Amino acid sequence: MVWSKDYNKAGEIAKQAREFARTLIKENVLYLEIAQKIENKIIELGGKPAFPVNICINNVAAHDTPLINDERKLKKGDLVKIDIGTHFNGCVADTAFTMEVGTNQYADLIKASEEALNEAIKIIKPGIELREIGKVIQDTIMKYGYSPIKNLSGHEVKEYIVHAGLTIPNYDNNDKHILEKDTIIAIEPFATIGEGMIKEGKLSGIYTLVNKKNIRSLEARKVLEFIDKEYKTLPFCARWLKFPNINFILRLLENDGIIKQYNQLPEKSDGIVSQAEHTIIVGKGVLT
Ligand code: CO
């Protein structure tokens, strides 16, 4: 399997953006400001965002990014997950962390996903079965008295693809597939006080190009060309598209089945969720 040095570059940028992001998590700060500052940092460091910065609060596990003019602010006692994707020439790195805003009530829940991630990284080597990784994640989270989210998983990354090929389970799903050297995977344990499943929630404002085809509106065609050139199959959001009437145009593209919008993913029983994530090269180590 081939991998490029550009993955190291993407990983280094993701790591620095994550450490910068930690300094932004404070009471009364706008989600929008956090997302924009992290995305600008990625660009300043020479990379590009591989997807819009995800800011997910409390029971929402994944897929929430600020809209244009989003007015939501962090509140004291929120549990915040920040999920950051970077790419360098298409080579993707994916990393996430969880912090609470101004309180110390979720320290164990945060530790559960972090420790699960670290324990998983310790055992990953060429020849390991995917289920063994899932088992370590599950056992570690359950040791803390929480549940792993079973229908969210880690994933392989490839050029211009965030969720490629392999699925890395967060529990022992009996998958005996063997990891090969140099495969690039993101491991992302989610721990929750809830039942350990997510459901589909509200629309997220995160889109991806699914079916490039002709559209009558000239304005929509220009936007589509830009998306195809700039993001290819990587997720994007309205904040990034500096075109007039962008929300209307995105609706046209969505109605025509050209782009699709992801749903937010809240925990099924509305349990609070923590997450930790790193991207690693099997047999070589952590990129992020
Ligand atoms: Co990921």
Short mmCIF file of all heavy atoms in Angstrom, two decimals, residues 196-257:
data_model
loop_
_atom_site.label_atom_id
_atom_site.label_comp_id
_atom_site.label_asym_id
_atom_site.label_seq_id
_atom_site.Cartn_x
_atom_site.Cartn_y
_atom_site.Cartn_z
N GLY A 196 -25.77 4.02 24.21
CA GLY A 196 -24.66 3.66 23.34
C GLY A 196 -25.02 3.49 21.88
O GLY A 196 -24.39 2.73 21.15
N MET A 197 -26.03 4.25 21.45
CA MET A 197 -26.41 4.25 20.04
C MET A 197 -26.71 5.70 19.65
O MET A 197 -27.18 6.48 20.47
CB MET A 197 -27.70 3.43 19.81
CG MET A 197 -27.58 1.95 20.12
SD MET A 197 -26.61 1.06 18.89
CE MET A 197 -27.82 0.86 17.59
N ILE A 198 -26.47 6.04 18.38
CA ILE A 198 -26.91 7.35 17.91
C ILE A 198 -28.11 7.19 17.00
O ILE A 198 -28.37 6.12 16.46
CB ILE A 198 -25.81 8.15 17.19
CG1 ILE A 198 -25.03 7.26 16.23
CG2 ILE A 198 -24.87 8.84 18.14
CD1 ILE A 198 -25.37 7.47 14.82
N LYS A 199 -28.86 8.28 16.85
CA LYS A 199 -29.97 8.34 15.91
C LYS A 199 -29.74 9.52 14.98
O LYS A 199 -28.83 10.31 15.21
CB LYS A 199 -31.29 8.50 16.68
CG LYS A 199 -31.33 9.76 17.54
CD LYS A 199 -32.56 9.84 18.43
CE LYS A 199 -32.47 11.09 19.32
NZ LYS A 199 -33.49 11.16 20.35
N GLU A 200 -30.56 9.65 13.95
CA GLU A 200 -30.45 10.80 13.06
C GLU A 200 -31.21 11.98 13.67
O GLU A 200 -32.36 11.84 14.07
CB GLU A 200 -31.04 10.48 11.69
CG GLU A 200 -30.30 9.35 10.99
CD GLU A 200 -29.86 9.72 9.59
OE1 GLU A 200 -30.71 10.25 8.83
OE2 GLU A 200 -28.69 9.48 9.26
N GLY A 201 -30.56 13.13 13.72
CA GLY A 201 -31.19 14.33 14.27
C GLY A 201 -31.48 15.36 13.18
O GLY A 201 -31.71 15.01 12.03
N LYS A 202 -31.41 16.63 13.59
CA LYS A 202 -31.67 17.74 12.66
C LYS A 202 -30.66 17.75 11.52
O LYS A 202 -29.58 17.19 11.62
CB LYS A 202 -31.49 19.06 13.42
CG LYS A 202 -32.55 19.34 14.45
CD LYS A 202 -32.34 20.73 15.05
CE LYS A 202 -31.49 20.67 16.31
NZ LYS A 202 -31.48 21.90 17.10
N LEU A 203 -30.99 18.49 10.46
CA LEU A 203 -30.03 18.67 9.37
C LEU A 203 -28.84 19.47 9.90
O LEU A 203 -28.98 20.31 10.78
CB LEU A 203 -30.70 19.38 8.20
CG LEU A 203 -31.73 18.51 7.48
CD1 LEU A 203 -32.52 19.33 6.47
CD2 LEU A 203 -31.05 17.32 6.78
N SER A 204 -27.66 19.20 9.33
CA SER A 204 -26.43 19.72 9.92
C SER A 204 -25.84 20.94 9.23
O SER A 204 -25.01 21.63 9.79
CB SER A 204 -25.37 18.62 9.91
OG SER A 204 -25.03 18.32 8.56
N GLY A 205 -26.21 21.16 7.97
CA GLY A 205 -25.52 22.20 7.21
C GLY A 205 -24.17 21.73 6.67
O GLY A 205 -23.39 22.50 6.15
N ILE A 206 -23.90 20.42 6.83
CA ILE A 206 -22.68 19.83 6.26
C ILE A 206 -23.12 19.03 5.03
O ILE A 206 -24.04 18.21 5.11
CB ILE A 206 -21.98 18.91 7.26
CG1 ILE A 206 -21.62 19.67 8.54
CG2 ILE A 206 -20.72 18.29 6.64
CD1 ILE A 206 -21.16 18.79 9.69
N TYR A 207 -22.47 19.31 3.91
CA TYR A 207 -22.87 18.70 2.64
C TYR A 207 -21.71 17.96 2.00
O TYR A 207 -20.56 18.20 2.31
CB TYR A 207 -23.29 19.77 1.63
CG TYR A 207 -24.41 20.67 2.05
CD1 TYR A 207 -24.16 21.83 2.79
CD2 TYR A 207 -25.73 20.39 1.67
CE1 TYR A 207 -25.20 22.68 3.16
CE2 TYR A 207 -26.77 21.24 2.03
CZ TYR A 207 -26.49 22.37 2.77
OH TYR A 207 -27.51 23.22 3.13
N THR A 208 -22.06 17.10 1.04
CA THR A 208 -21.02 16.52 0.20
C THR A 208 -21.57 16.31 -1.20
O THR A 208 -22.78 16.13 -1.39
CB THR A 208 -20.49 15.20 0.82
OG1 THR A 208 -19.31 14.82 0.13
CG2 THR A 208 -21.48 14.07 0.73
N LEU A 209 -20.68 16.39 -2.18
CA LEU A 209 -21.07 16.20 -3.57
C LEU A 209 -21.29 14.70 -3.81
O LEU A 209 -20.42 13.89 -3.52
CB LEU A 209 -19.93 16.72 -4.47
CG LEU A 209 -20.07 16.61 -5.97
CD1 LEU A 209 -21.33 17.32 -6.46
CD2 LEU A 209 -18.84 17.23 -6.64
N VAL A 210 -22.48 14.34 -4.31
CA VAL A 210 -22.75 12.91 -4.52
C VAL A 210 -22.98 12.54 -5.98
O VAL A 210 -22.72 11.42 -6.40
CB VAL A 210 -23.95 12.40 -3.69
CG1 VAL A 210 -23.55 12.22 -2.24
CG2 VAL A 210 -25.17 13.29 -3.81
N ASN A 211 -23.49 13.48 -6.76
CA ASN A 211 -23.83 13.13 -8.15
C ASN A 211 -23.67 14.36 -9.04
O ASN A 211 -24.57 15.19 -9.14
CB ASN A 211 -25.27 12.59 -8.20
CG ASN A 211 -25.68 12.19 -9.60
OD1 ASN A 211 -24.85 12.08 -10.50
ND2 ASN A 211 -26.98 11.98 -9.78
N LYS A 212 -22.47 14.46 -9.64
CA LYS A 212 -22.17 15.61 -10.48
C LYS A 212 -22.95 15.50 -11.78
O LYS A 212 -22.70 14.59 -12.57
CB LYS A 212 -20.67 15.62 -10.77
CG LYS A 212 -20.08 16.95 -11.06
CD LYS A 212 -18.58 16.85 -11.10
CE LYS A 212 -18.10 16.76 -12.55
NZ LYS A 212 -16.67 16.46 -12.61
N LYS A 213 -23.93 16.36 -11.98
CA LYS A 213 -24.66 16.33 -13.24
C LYS A 213 -25.07 17.74 -13.62
O LYS A 213 -24.86 18.67 -12.85
CB LYS A 213 -25.86 15.40 -13.13
CG LYS A 213 -26.87 15.81 -12.09
CD LYS A 213 -28.05 14.84 -12.04
CE LYS A 213 -29.09 15.37 -11.07
NZ LYS A 213 -30.12 14.42 -10.70
N ASN A 214 -25.66 17.88 -14.78
CA ASN A 214 -25.99 19.20 -15.28
C ASN A 214 -27.17 19.81 -14.52
O ASN A 214 -28.09 19.12 -14.12
CB ASN A 214 -26.32 19.11 -16.77
CG ASN A 214 -26.14 20.46 -17.44
OD1 ASN A 214 -25.39 21.31 -16.94
ND2 ASN A 214 -26.83 20.68 -18.52
N ILE A 215 -27.09 21.12 -14.31
CA ILE A 215 -28.20 21.84 -13.67
C ILE A 215 -28.46 23.10 -14.48
O ILE A 215 -27.52 23.73 -14.98
CB ILE A 215 -27.89 22.12 -12.18
CG1 ILE A 215 -29.07 22.82 -11.51
CG2 ILE A 215 -26.61 22.91 -11.97
CD1 ILE A 215 -29.14 22.64 -10.00
N ARG A 216 -29.74 23.46 -14.64
CA ARG A 216 -30.11 24.57 -15.52
C ARG A 216 -29.62 25.93 -15.04
O ARG A 216 -29.10 26.71 -15.82
CB ARG A 216 -31.64 24.62 -15.66
CG ARG A 216 -32.15 23.72 -16.75
CD ARG A 216 -33.64 23.61 -16.63
NE ARG A 216 -34.27 24.92 -16.89
CZ ARG A 216 -35.13 25.12 -17.86
NH1 ARG A 216 -35.45 24.15 -18.68
NH2 ARG A 216 -35.68 26.30 -18.02
N SER A 217 -29.80 26.20 -13.76
CA SER A 217 -29.44 27.52 -13.24
C SER A 217 -27.94 27.79 -13.39
O SER A 217 -27.10 27.00 -12.94
CB SER A 217 -29.85 27.61 -11.77
OG SER A 217 -28.97 28.48 -11.07
N LEU A 218 -27.62 28.92 -14.03
CA LEU A 218 -26.23 29.28 -14.26
C LEU A 218 -25.51 29.52 -12.93
O LEU A 218 -24.37 29.10 -12.73
CB LEU A 218 -26.16 30.54 -15.14
CG LEU A 218 -24.75 31.09 -15.43
CD1 LEU A 218 -23.92 30.07 -16.20
CD2 LEU A 218 -24.83 32.40 -16.18
N GLU A 219 -26.21 30.18 -12.00
CA GLU A 219 -25.62 30.45 -10.67
C GLU A 219 -25.28 29.14 -9.96
O GLU A 219 -24.22 29.00 -9.37
CB GLU A 219 -26.63 31.19 -9.79
CG GLU A 219 -26.76 32.65 -10.05
CD GLU A 219 -27.92 33.20 -9.22
OE1 GLU A 219 -29.06 32.75 -9.42
OE2 GLU A 219 -27.65 34.05 -8.35
N ALA A 220 -26.21 28.21 -10.01
CA ALA A 220 -26.00 26.92 -9.34
C ALA A 220 -24.85 26.16 -10.00
O ALA A 220 -24.07 25.49 -9.32
CB ALA A 220 -27.27 26.08 -9.38
N ARG A 221 -24.74 26.31 -11.32
CA ARG A 221 -23.67 25.62 -12.05
C ARG A 221 -22.30 26.14 -11.60
O ARG A 221 -21.36 25.39 -11.45
CB ARG A 221 -23.86 25.85 -13.55
CG ARG A 221 -23.41 24.67 -14.38
CD ARG A 221 -24.26 24.50 -15.61
NE ARG A 221 -24.16 25.66 -16.49
CZ ARG A 221 -25.19 26.09 -17.24
NH1 ARG A 221 -26.35 25.47 -17.21
NH2 ARG A 221 -25.03 27.13 -18.02
N LYS A 222 -22.22 27.47 -11.40
CA LYS A 222 -20.95 28.06 -10.95
C LYS A 222 -20.56 27.53 -9.57
O LYS A 222 -19.41 27.21 -9.31
CB LYS A 222 -21.10 29.59 -10.85
CG LYS A 222 -20.92 30.29 -12.18
CD LYS A 222 -20.87 31.79 -11.92
CE LYS A 222 -21.02 32.56 -13.22
NZ LYS A 222 -21.52 33.92 -12.97
N VAL A 223 -21.55 27.43 -8.69
CA VAL A 223 -21.28 26.92 -7.34
C VAL A 223 -20.84 25.47 -7.41
O VAL A 223 -19.86 25.06 -6.77
CB VAL A 223 -22.52 27.08 -6.43
CG1 VAL A 223 -22.31 26.40 -5.08
CG2 VAL A 223 -22.85 28.56 -6.22
N LEU A 224 -21.53 24.70 -8.23
CA LEU A 224 -21.19 23.28 -8.38
C LEU A 224 -19.76 23.09 -8.90
O LEU A 224 -19.01 22.26 -8.40
CB LEU A 224 -22.20 22.59 -9.32
CG LEU A 224 -21.95 21.12 -9.64
CD1 LEU A 224 -21.90 20.28 -8.37
CD2 LEU A 224 -23.04 20.59 -10.58
N GLU A 225 -19.39 23.91 -9.89
CA GLU A 225 -18.03 23.83 -10.42
C GLU A 225 -16.99 24.13 -9.34
O GLU A 225 -15.96 23.47 -9.24
CB GLU A 225 -17.84 24.83 -11.58
CG GLU A 225 -18.26 24.26 -12.92
CD GLU A 225 -18.39 25.35 -13.99
OE1 GLU A 225 -17.76 26.43 -13.86
OE2 GLU A 225 -19.15 25.11 -14.96
N PHE A 226 -17.31 25.13 -8.52
CA PHE A 226 -16.40 25.50 -7.44
C PHE A 226 -16.25 24.35 -6.43
O PHE A 226 -15.15 23.99 -6.03
CB PHE A 226 -16.90 26.76 -6.74
CG PHE A 226 -16.01 27.23 -5.63
CD1 PHE A 226 -14.89 28.01 -5.89
CD2 PHE A 226 -16.27 26.86 -4.31
CE1 PHE A 226 -14.05 28.43 -4.86
CE2 PHE A 226 -15.43 27.27 -3.27
CZ PHE A 226 -14.32 28.05 -3.56
N ILE A 227 -17.39 23.77 -6.04
CA ILE A 227 -17.38 22.67 -5.07
C ILE A 227 -16.55 21.50 -5.61
O ILE A 227 -15.71 20.93 -4.91
CB ILE A 227 -18.83 22.19 -4.77
CG1 ILE A 227 -19.59 23.27 -3.99
CG2 ILE A 227 -18.85 20.86 -4.02
CD1 ILE A 227 -21.10 23.03 -3.91
N ASP A 228 -16.80 21.17 -6.86
CA ASP A 228 -16.12 20.03 -7.48
C ASP A 228 -14.60 20.25 -7.52
O ASP A 228 -13.82 19.37 -7.21
CB ASP A 228 -16.68 19.82 -8.88
CG ASP A 228 -16.11 18.59 -9.55
OD1 ASP A 228 -15.86 17.60 -8.82
OD2 ASP A 228 -15.90 18.60 -10.77
N LYS A 229 -14.21 21.46 -7.86
CA LYS A 229 -12.79 21.77 -7.98
C LYS A 229 -12.13 21.87 -6.60
O LYS A 229 -11.05 21.34 -6.37
CB LYS A 229 -12.65 23.12 -8.71
CG LYS A 229 -11.23 23.54 -9.01
CD LYS A 229 -11.25 24.73 -9.95
CE LYS A 229 -10.30 25.83 -9.53
NZ LYS A 229 -10.64 26.69 -8.42
N GLU A 230 -12.80 22.50 -5.67
CA GLU A 230 -12.22 22.83 -4.37
C GLU A 230 -12.30 21.68 -3.36
O GLU A 230 -11.37 21.43 -2.62
CB GLU A 230 -12.96 24.07 -3.85
CG GLU A 230 -12.25 24.94 -2.87
CD GLU A 230 -10.80 25.29 -3.16
OE1 GLU A 230 -10.47 25.59 -4.32
OE2 GLU A 230 -10.00 25.25 -2.20
N TYR A 231 -13.42 20.98 -3.33
CA TYR A 231 -13.62 19.98 -2.27
C TYR A 231 -13.68 18.54 -2.78
O TYR A 231 -13.59 17.61 -1.99
CB TYR A 231 -14.91 20.28 -1.49
CG TYR A 231 -15.02 21.73 -1.08
CD1 TYR A 231 -16.12 22.50 -1.43
CD2 TYR A 231 -13.98 22.34 -0.36
CE1 TYR A 231 -16.20 23.84 -1.07
CE2 TYR A 231 -14.05 23.67 -0.01
CZ TYR A 231 -15.16 24.42 -0.36
OH TYR A 231 -15.23 25.73 -0.02
N LYS A 232 -13.89 18.38 -4.10
CA LYS A 232 -14.08 17.03 -4.66
C LYS A 232 -15.14 16.29 -3.85
O LYS A 232 -16.27 16.76 -3.78
CB LYS A 232 -12.76 16.30 -4.74
CG LYS A 232 -11.72 17.03 -5.59
CD LYS A 232 -10.50 16.21 -5.84
CE LYS A 232 -9.51 16.80 -6.82
NZ LYS A 232 -9.38 18.26 -6.89
N THR A 233 -14.76 15.18 -3.19
CA THR A 233 -15.78 14.44 -2.42
C THR A 233 -15.72 14.75 -0.93
O THR A 233 -16.36 14.08 -0.13
CB THR A 233 -15.58 12.93 -2.62
OG1 THR A 233 -14.21 12.62 -2.34
CG2 THR A 233 -15.90 12.50 -4.03
N LEU A 234 -14.92 15.76 -0.55
CA LEU A 234 -14.82 16.11 0.88
C LEU A 234 -16.03 16.95 1.31
O LEU A 234 -16.55 17.74 0.52
CB LEU A 234 -13.54 16.90 1.14
CG LEU A 234 -12.23 16.15 0.92
CD1 LEU A 234 -11.05 17.12 1.01
CD2 LEU A 234 -12.07 15.03 1.94
N PRO A 235 -16.48 16.80 2.55
CA PRO A 235 -17.60 17.59 3.04
C PRO A 235 -17.30 19.09 3.08
O PRO A 235 -16.14 19.49 3.25
CB PRO A 235 -17.82 17.05 4.47
CG PRO A 235 -17.19 15.70 4.46
CD PRO A 235 -16.02 15.80 3.53
N PHE A 236 -18.35 19.90 2.94
CA PHE A 236 -18.20 21.37 2.95
C PHE A 236 -19.45 21.97 3.58
O PHE A 236 -20.40 21.25 3.91
CB PHE A 236 -17.99 21.90 1.52
CG PHE A 236 -19.13 21.58 0.60
CD1 PHE A 236 -20.20 22.46 0.47
CD2 PHE A 236 -19.17 20.39 -0.10
CE1 PHE A 236 -21.28 22.16 -0.36
CE2 PHE A 236 -20.25 20.08 -0.94
CZ PHE A 236 -21.30 20.96 -1.07
N CYS A 237 -19.45 23.31 3.75
CA CYS A 237 -20.63 23.97 4.33
C CYS A 237 -20.83 25.34 3.69
O CYS A 237 -19.94 25.84 3.00
CB CYS A 237 -20.45 24.11 5.84
SG CYS A 237 -19.02 25.11 6.29
N ALA A 238 -21.99 25.93 3.93
CA ALA A 238 -22.35 27.22 3.31
C ALA A 238 -21.37 28.33 3.70
O ALA A 238 -21.08 29.22 2.90
CB ALA A 238 -23.77 27.61 3.70
N ARG A 239 -20.85 28.28 4.95
CA ARG A 239 -19.91 29.30 5.40
C ARG A 239 -18.74 29.48 4.45
O ARG A 239 -18.13 30.54 4.37
CB ARG A 239 -19.34 28.93 6.79
CG ARG A 239 -20.28 28.99 7.93
CD ARG A 239 -19.55 28.78 9.26
NE ARG A 239 -19.21 27.39 9.53
CZ ARG A 239 -17.97 26.90 9.55
NH1 ARG A 239 -16.94 27.68 9.31
NH2 ARG A 239 -17.77 25.62 9.82
N TRP A 240 -18.36 28.40 3.78
CA TRP A 240 -17.17 28.42 2.93
C TRP A 240 -17.44 28.95 1.52
O TRP A 240 -16.51 29.17 0.76
CB TRP A 240 -16.60 27.01 2.79
CG TRP A 240 -16.04 26.44 4.04
CD1 TRP A 240 -15.94 27.03 5.27
CD2 TRP A 240 -15.50 25.11 4.19
NE1 TRP A 240 -15.37 26.16 6.16
CE2 TRP A 240 -15.09 24.98 5.53
CE3 TRP A 240 -15.32 24.04 3.30
CZ2 TRP A 240 -14.51 23.80 6.01
CZ3 TRP A 240 -14.75 22.88 3.78
CH2 TRP A 240 -14.35 22.76 5.14
N LEU A 241 -18.70 29.10 1.17
CA LEU A 241 -19.05 29.41 -0.22
C LEU A 241 -19.47 30.87 -0.33
O LEU A 241 -20.57 31.25 0.06
CB LEU A 241 -20.17 28.48 -0.69
CG LEU A 241 -19.79 27.00 -0.70
CD1 LEU A 241 -21.03 26.12 -0.79
CD2 LEU A 241 -18.83 26.69 -1.84
N LYS A 242 -18.56 31.71 -0.85
CA LYS A 242 -18.84 33.14 -0.92
C LYS A 242 -19.56 33.48 -2.22
O LYS A 242 -19.00 34.12 -3.11
CB LYS A 242 -17.53 33.94 -0.81
CG LYS A 242 -16.65 33.55 0.38
CD LYS A 242 -17.29 33.90 1.72
CE LYS A 242 -16.39 33.49 2.88
NZ LYS A 242 -17.15 33.22 4.12
N PHE A 243 -20.78 33.00 -2.35
CA PHE A 243 -21.61 33.29 -3.52
C PHE A 243 -22.91 33.93 -3.02
O PHE A 243 -23.39 33.58 -1.94
CB PHE A 243 -21.97 31.99 -4.25
CG PHE A 243 -20.80 31.31 -4.92
CD1 PHE A 243 -20.02 30.39 -4.22
CD2 PHE A 243 -20.49 31.58 -6.25
CE1 PHE A 243 -18.95 29.75 -4.85
CE2 PHE A 243 -19.42 30.94 -6.87
CZ PHE A 243 -18.65 30.03 -6.17
N PRO A 244 -23.51 34.84 -3.83
CA PRO A 244 -24.80 35.39 -3.43
C PRO A 244 -25.88 34.29 -3.38
O PRO A 244 -25.80 33.32 -4.15
CB PRO A 244 -25.12 36.43 -4.50
CG PRO A 244 -24.11 36.26 -5.58
CD PRO A 244 -23.00 35.40 -5.07
N ASN A 245 -26.85 34.43 -2.53
CA ASN A 245 -27.98 33.48 -2.40
C ASN A 245 -27.54 32.05 -2.18
O ASN A 245 -28.16 31.11 -2.69
CB ASN A 245 -28.87 33.50 -3.66
CG ASN A 245 -29.34 34.88 -3.98
OD1 ASN A 245 -29.73 35.64 -3.08
ND2 ASN A 245 -29.27 35.25 -5.25
N ILE A 246 -26.46 31.87 -1.41
CA ILE A 246 -25.88 30.53 -1.33
C ILE A 246 -26.83 29.50 -0.71
O ILE A 246 -26.88 28.35 -1.15
CB ILE A 246 -24.50 30.55 -0.62
CG1 ILE A 246 -23.81 29.19 -0.77
CG2 ILE A 246 -24.61 30.93 0.84
CD1 ILE A 246 -23.53 28.78 -2.19
N ASN A 247 -27.62 29.92 0.29
CA ASN A 247 -28.52 28.94 0.91
C ASN A 247 -29.57 28.45 -0.09
O ASN A 247 -29.90 27.26 -0.13
CB ASN A 247 -29.18 29.52 2.16
CG ASN A 247 -28.17 29.64 3.31
OD1 ASN A 247 -27.31 28.78 3.47
ND2 ASN A 247 -28.28 30.70 4.09
N PHE A 248 -30.06 29.36 -0.93
CA PHE A 248 -31.04 29.00 -1.96
C PHE A 248 -30.40 28.05 -2.98
O PHE A 248 -31.00 27.03 -3.36
CB PHE A 248 -31.56 30.28 -2.64
CG PHE A 248 -32.45 30.01 -3.80
CD1 PHE A 248 -33.75 29.55 -3.60
CD2 PHE A 248 -31.99 30.19 -5.11
CE1 PHE A 248 -34.58 29.29 -4.68
CE2 PHE A 248 -32.82 29.93 -6.19
CZ PHE A 248 -34.11 29.47 -5.98
N ILE A 249 -29.18 28.37 -3.40
CA ILE A 249 -28.51 27.54 -4.41
C ILE A 249 -28.22 26.14 -3.86
O ILE A 249 -28.40 25.13 -4.55
CB ILE A 249 -27.21 28.22 -4.90
CG1 ILE A 249 -27.58 29.48 -5.70
CG2 ILE A 249 -26.36 27.28 -5.73
CD1 ILE A 249 -26.43 30.38 -6.03
N LEU A 250 -27.81 26.08 -2.61
CA LEU A 250 -27.54 24.75 -2.01
C LEU A 250 -28.82 23.93 -1.97
O LEU A 250 -28.80 22.71 -2.18
CB LEU A 250 -26.94 24.91 -0.60
CG LEU A 250 -25.49 25.42 -0.57
CD1 LEU A 250 -25.03 25.64 0.87
CD2 LEU A 250 -24.53 24.46 -1.28
N ARG A 251 -29.95 24.62 -1.72
CA ARG A 251 -31.24 23.90 -1.71
C ARG A 251 -31.55 23.34 -3.10
O ARG A 251 -32.01 22.21 -3.24
CB ARG A 251 -32.35 24.85 -1.23
CG ARG A 251 -33.48 24.14 -0.53
CD ARG A 251 -34.03 24.94 0.65
NE ARG A 251 -34.33 26.31 0.28
CZ ARG A 251 -33.94 27.37 0.98
NH1 ARG A 251 -33.23 27.23 2.07
NH2 ARG A 251 -34.27 28.59 0.59
N LEU A 252 -31.28 24.15 -4.15
CA LEU A 252 -31.49 23.67 -5.53
C LEU A 252 -30.66 22.41 -5.79
O LEU A 252 -31.15 21.41 -6.33
CB LEU A 252 -31.06 24.73 -6.55
CG LEU A 252 -31.95 25.91 -6.85
CD1 LEU A 252 -31.30 26.76 -7.96
CD2 LEU A 252 -33.33 25.44 -7.31
N LEU A 253 -29.38 22.48 -5.42
CA LEU A 253 -28.46 21.36 -5.67
C LEU A 253 -28.88 20.13 -4.87
O LEU A 253 -28.79 19.00 -5.35
CB LEU A 253 -27.02 21.75 -5.30
CG LEU A 253 -26.37 22.82 -6.19
CD1 LEU A 253 -25.05 23.28 -5.58
CD2 LEU A 253 -26.12 22.29 -7.60
N GLU A 254 -29.39 20.39 -3.67
CA GLU A 254 -29.82 19.28 -2.82
C GLU A 254 -31.09 18.64 -3.39
O GLU A 254 -31.20 17.41 -3.47
CB GLU A 254 -30.06 19.80 -1.40
CG GLU A 254 -30.14 18.70 -0.36
CD GLU A 254 -30.39 19.23 1.05
OE1 GLU A 254 -30.45 20.46 1.26
OE2 GLU A 254 -30.54 18.39 1.96
N ASN A 255 -32.03 19.48 -3.83
CA ASN A 255 -33.28 18.96 -4.39
C ASN A 255 -33.04 18.15 -5.66
O ASN A 255 -33.80 17.22 -5.97
CB ASN A 255 -34.26 20.10 -4.70
CG ASN A 255 -34.81 20.71 -3.42
OD1 ASN A 255 -34.75 20.09 -2.35
ND2 ASN A 255 -35.33 21.92 -3.51
N ASP A 256 -31.99 18.50 -6.39
CA ASP A 256 -31.66 17.78 -7.63
C ASP A 256 -30.82 16.53 -7.35
O ASP A 256 -30.42 15.84 -8.29
CB ASP A 256 -30.89 18.70 -8.58
CG ASP A 256 -31.80 19.26 -9.66
OD1 ASP A 256 -33.02 19.33 -9.40
OD2 ASP A 256 -31.30 19.60 -10.75
N GLY A 257 -30.52 16.26 -6.10
CA GLY A 257 -29.74 15.07 -5.75
C GLY A 257 -28.27 15.19 -6.10
O GLY A 257 -27.55 14.19 -6.18
#
